[in-house]
Amino acid sequence: MIQSTGQTKDSTYQAGVRKTFAISLQEAWQLVFSGKGMAIWLGYDTDLRTVKGSPYKTGNAITGTVRVVKEFSHVRFTYKKENWDNESLVQIRFIAAKTGTTISFHQEKLADSSQRKEMKQHWEAALTQFSALV
């Protein structure tokens, strides 16, 4: 079987993007989980809390549950858009780098290449918008 870009062995898809910012791990964490930061990558009117087991929803109909929280390191949560039949998994990592901190978004269990493309573009745009806030 020939796999397309981003396709995993279980036939789901994944996408990942990362960018390094000249800020500390703590500043990167604050950027991503501040109100302005979450509005960029998750959407408006979100009630996401970085507490394991917490469900969340947004004003733009994204829902999920926080699965893992390791402060200043990574957060893992489920992610489902209202019009999706599937639920995906997102992990945000904060990685110390020589020039600051790398923020990484990785999403797996995407249904198809179309969802992969949509979400890859979404995460790339979020990192670009973070640059304006730094």
Side-chain angles (χ1 to χ4, degrees), residues 17-33 70-74 92-105 127 130-131 134:
V17 299
R18 60 176 54 200
K19 184 175 175 115
T20 301
F21 298 88
I23 56 178
S24 69
L25 284 168
Q26 294 81 1
E27 290 168 321
W29 182 273
Q30 179 58 36
L31 171 67
V32 170
F33 294 110
K70 186 168 181 189
E71 192 173 33
F72 309 127
S73 173
H74 62 278
I92 306 172
R93 293 194 62 82
F94 302 84
I95 306 159
K98 287 182 182 180
T99 58
T101 301
T102 300
I103 299 173
S104 167
F105 287 93
L127 291 174
F130 286 163
S131 295
V134 171

